[in-house]
Amino acid sequence: MKEDACLTLEDGSFFKETAIGLHGTTFSEVVFNTSMTDYQKIITDTSYKNQIITFTYPNIGNTGINNHDNESRSIKIQGIIIKNLSLIYSNYKNTTSFEQYLKDNNIVGIANIDTRKLTHTLRIKGN
């Protein structure tokens, strides 16, 4: 059974959906990424260090995680916000699921968020 997770923005916007990764609390700037590919490279990119990232692309985790697609040696983000977590992952190089990778690296996340609506809110109002 999945646990609930909450996201609250500085403007008071509140979202209650499904926890993924580590179940805990994190605080940081929320930023968005509109890329359709390379979620593993993005979350290990030092330019996102200590930020919470949301992806506008709806399906994240569909290729799993492998040992070759990191931008750096570890995850740099503080948290993650996604629409759909793929429970089935397929890639000849994968070694683990995306959710397990988040757990192994102590990253808090939330799924089932309308990330395009969230991105629109971020563009208009900021964090």
Side-chain angles (χ1 to χ4, degrees), residues 11-105:
D11 74 349
S13 299
F14 180 79
F15 305 84
K16 183 176 180 183
E17 289 298 340
T18 307
I20 61 170
L22 179 72
H23 297 188
T25 303
T26 192
F27 300 92
S28 191
E29 174 185 27
V30 178
V31 298
F32 59 88
N33 184 288
T34 60
S35 178
M36 293 176 57
T37 61
D38 294 330
Y39 58 83
Q40 183 175 340
K41 287 184 183 212
I42 293 163
I43 66 173
T44 58
D45 188 328
T46 57
S47 69
Y48 291 109
K49 185 174 178 143
N50 298 326
Q51 295 175 318
I52 299 171
I53 189 163
T54 185
F55 290 92
T56 58
Y57 188 73
N59 298 310
I60 302 296
N62 54 332
T63 59
I65 297 294
N66 66 71
N67 296 324
H68 307 285
D69 288 340
N70 289 340
E71 284 292 310
S72 64
R73 293 181 190 204
S74 62
I75 292 181
K76 299 302 179 192
I77 61 171
Q78 190 75 22
I80 191 163
I81 305 163
I82 64 172
K83 173 66 177 159
N84 299 320
L85 174 64
S86 182
L87 300 178
I88 299 171
Y89 52 99
S90 177
N91 183 304
Y92 71 98
K93 297 184 291 185
N94 78 51
T95 57
T96 191
S97 72
F98 183 67
E99 184 169 26
Q100 189 60 51
Y101 187 62
L102 295 175
K103 288 177 182 176
D104 291 346
N105 288 278

Side-chain angles (χ1 to χ4, degrees), residues 1-18:
M1 183 170 87
K2 291 289 185 177
E3 291 185 31
D4 288 340
C6 299
L7 169 66
T8 304
L9 301 180
E10 194 173 81
D11 74 349
S13 299
F14 180 79
F15 305 84
K16 183 176 180 183
E17 289 298 340
T18 307

